[in-house]
Amino acid sequence: MVARLLCTSRLSPAAHSMTADGEVERVATDLTGLKVGILGGDRRELEVASVFHGLGAEVRAVCLPWPDDVGFVSNRLEDVLAWADLLLAPVGGVDKFGQVSYTIVEGQEPPRLTAETLRHVAQGTSLFIGQATSGLREACSEQGVRLVEFRETEEFAWRNAIPTAEGALEMALRLTDHTLHGARCLVLGFGRTGSVIARTLHGLGARVEVLARDGIDLARCYALGFAGESLADLRGAVSDADVVFNTIPVVVLREDVLQRMRRGTVIIDIASAPGGTDFAAARRLGLSAHLAPGLPGITAPRTAGRIVADTVLSLWQNL
Ligand code: NAP
């Protein structure tokens, strides 16, 4: 608690100003005395551990890949849960058994966050996680653990849309035999990831067409220089597409839509599982359709980890 008060007083809004290249400046941030427990993850969480350690926090990790490379010792889950002031679980959250996502470290048991293991956590400790399950929410509430889900916060989702868009474009480049420059690219949905994908494609010289259900989104497309069309016209729009990027988390690329596509069209579906594509129908029709989960952690883990660290710091500062 002493550590939290100390850090909160030093984390002024000025410590979170953003530079032109998107880096968040943390010059005034001093986390000395804060005990941070990282509960599994991938190279993103490794970056988070580095950032917190660099700001003076004491960091202990459970089941983090390559802990020896960066000097963070592996610890027993129960010990870290009892020790930390601030706990961080991965962006991907936990499954229905409480097991954290993305954690594969040979010889180590993946951390489980359950009513049983959370008993070790002191009341009032903050647990940050991308997204929780109802079971984890209940267990935290019973135990008096302050649960903070950050994946759907605007602050995180907008910044995370950048490595997501770059990952989607990297996939498209790999799966096609043509440039994106000049290609007819459809972007389905114009939310956080859809708008960044459209803008990035536009910058590469692609012929971008956005399909959205909301008239205001279509007006924004128009103002930004993209073609925009109602999602209701999707069947007609797909027939001469080279690449389709889907960001809508409900099945919009149904069989009757897929039937209108050319064989060579590539579909990159970034919506959370099971995606917005009827993948079984796509397979039957011989289409190249790909569900693309976890893109930031694959293509830009260091940037993605910094986004997690900055989001957690900012949310924690405002608790
Ligand atoms: P968002 O800002 O909420 O945008 C979602 C878009 O889908 C909006 O344009 C929304 O339109 C549209 N939409 C939602 N439900 C719809 C429906 N029933 N019919 C038609 N349109 C609908 O979300 P986001 O941050 O861009 O994320 C999009 C998806 O990608 C999510 O599933 C997210 O979990 C996933 N994601 C994946 C990765 C990855 O690495 N693969 C990374 C980040 C996010 P309205 O505004 O009209 O509702």
Side-chain angles (χ1 to χ4, degrees), residues 164 189-193 213 231 247-250 270-272 292-296:
T164 306
F190 200 62
R192 294 161 304 202
T193 51
R213 64 177 171 181
L231 195 61
T247 74
I248 300 176
V250 293
I270 70 124
S272 47
L295 290 170

Side-chain angles (χ1 to χ4, degrees), residues 44 102 131 151-152 154 156-158 160-161 163-165 188-195 211-215 217 220 231 246-252 269-273 275 291-298:
R44 284 175 287 189
Y102 306 126
Q131 196 161 31
R151 203 168 77 181
E152 284 305 315
E154 296 290 322
F156 176 79
W158 273 108
N160 200 49
T164 306
L188 313 187
F190 200 62
R192 294 161 304 202
T193 51
S195 55
L211 286 104
R213 64 177 171 181
D214 182 9
D217 280 344
R220 283 172 56 227
L231 195 61
N246 177 58
T247 74
I248 300 176
V250 293
V251 179
V252 285
D269 194 336
I270 70 124
S272 47
L291 188 63
L295 290 170
I298 297 166

Side-chain angles (χ1 to χ4, degrees), residues 51-129:
V51 169
F52 277 91
H53 179 68
L55 293 172
E58 192 181 340
V59 181
R60 293 188 187 173
V62 183
C63 206
L64 200 61
W66 318 291
D68 297 341
D69 294 351
V70 286
F72 302 120
V73 285
S74 292
N75 295 277
R76 266 174 22 102
L77 175 64
E78 292 75 7
D79 296 342
V80 172
L81 291 177
W83 166 84
D85 305 312
L86 186 160
L87 292 161
L88 176 74
V91 179
V94 289
D95 66 16
K96 63 181 177 185
F97 305 109
Q99 184 171 313
V100 305
S101 60
Y102 306 126
T103 296
I104 306 162
V105 177
E106 219 173 298
Q108 289 185 39
E109 184 73 15
R112 272 180 203 280
L113 301 178
T114 60
E116 181 69 23
T117 56
L118 287 176
R119 276 200 198 108
H120 298 275
V121 181
Q123 284 223 350
T125 301
S126 303
L127 168 60
F128 288 82
I129 188 166

Side-chain angles (χ1 to χ4, degrees), residues 155-170:
E155 182 176 357
F156 176 79
W158 273 108
R159 292 185 67 206
N160 200 49
I162 299 163
T164 306
E166 288 191 11
L169 265 66
E170 186 271 333

Side-chain angles (χ1 to χ4, degrees), residues 197-225:
I197 289 172
R199 192 208 63 192
T200 313
L201 284 166
H202 187 66
L204 281 180
R207 290 180 292 144
V208 181
E209 185 169 336
V210 174
L211 286 104
R213 64 177 171 181
D214 182 9
I216 296 172
D217 280 344
L218 297 178
R220 283 172 56 227
C221 288
Y222 174 75
L224 293 168

